Amino acid sequence: MVGSIKYLAEQVEKDLEQALPKQRKTQRKKLALLVSTMIQTRSANTMDLAAALPIGTERIDMRYQWISRFLGNQHVRCDEVMYPFNRKLIKQIFKEDKSLVLIIDQTKINDTSQALVVAARWGERAIPLAWTVEATGGGIAYSSQKKLLDSVSSCLPANA
């Protein structure tokens, strides 16, 4: 599984470089690795990802920490990274399904942070479109939810 994740990460990184040529190389590599791990594990659960993440440590707590730090990195702007991909994905969903179903989910990242994810239903899968990580012990505020939904709506075709 490690080899297939690394191979997939190389392909994702090439796509990211084409879509976002100004993105920092370190961010692109880490994002590609995390996305590829998510695809391979078919999970957004951070413990599942930590168990499968192919980085240079055997300790799962260190891999979990790697994920937590990356997701909390304020320099990685989800809306900028996802915009070119979301446009293509949403266009494809409308072409095939004629409707877009959005799912909003909140999950715990660590003791002090929560992630809020907006995903699109496509067949039997939920494809993440936008996310935010915030320091909170409870629910993420509506204003953050609206910001994510606005980010996704900016990707909708003109006739949607």
Side-chain angles (χ1 to χ4, degrees):
M1 178 160 58
V2 170
S4 61
I5 292 174
K6 287 184 178 181
Y7 173 78
L8 185 56
E10 290 171 6
Q11 305 312 306
V12 170
E13 187 177 354
K14 287 177 188 176
D15 286 347
L16 285 170
E17 188 172 12
Q18 286 180 352
L20 304 162
K22 294 181 182 179
Q23 184 185 34
R24 292 184 60 193
K25 186 176 181 179
T26 54
Q27 289 178 6
R28 186 169 44 244
K29 282 187 152 318
K30 289 179 179 182
L31 180 59
L33 188 58
L34 186 57
V35 166
S36 300
T37 304
M38 290 178 86
I39 291 169
Q40 187 69 33
T41 61
R42 296 180 179 215
S43 175
N45 180 287
T46 51
M47 287 310 291
D48 292 346
L49 295 172
L53 188 68
I55 61 172
T57 181
E58 293 297 317
R59 290 181 43 194
I60 197 166
D61 63 319
M62 297 303 289
R63 286 183 268 156
Y64 183 85
Q65 184 178 40
W66 184 97
I67 293 167
S68 180
R69 284 184 179 162
F70 181 76
L71 292 176
N73 183 342
Q74 297 299 318
H75 298 290
V76 179
R77 304 236 342 128
C78 168
D79 49 350
E80 292 172 11
V81 171
M82 295 303 293
Y83 184 83
F85 300 102
N86 287 349
R87 297 264 314 163
K88 290 179 185 177
L89 177 66
I90 290 171
K91 185 177 179 180
Q92 186 67 32
I93 290 172
F94 274 117
K95 183 179 175 182
E96 292 180 17
D97 296 339
K98 308 291 186 230
S99 65
L100 177 66
V101 177
L102 297 178
I103 303 159
I104 301 176
D105 189 30
Q106 182 175 323
T107 188
K108 181 178 177 179
I109 296 295
N110 57 37
D111 289 340
T112 60
S113 299
Q114 299 276 329
L116 184 68
V117 179
V118 175
R121 188 183 77 190
W122 195 6
E124 298 297 317
R125 295 180 185 235
I127 311 293
L129 300 175
W131 65 88
T132 187
V133 175
E134 295 186 9
T136 179
I140 293 179
Y142 172 74
S143 58
S144 295
Q145 295 174 28
K146 183 169 179 354
K147 184 178 176 184
L148 285 182
L149 289 170
D150 289 345
S151 171
V152 171
S153 70
S154 73
C155 300
L156 294 174
N159 61 346

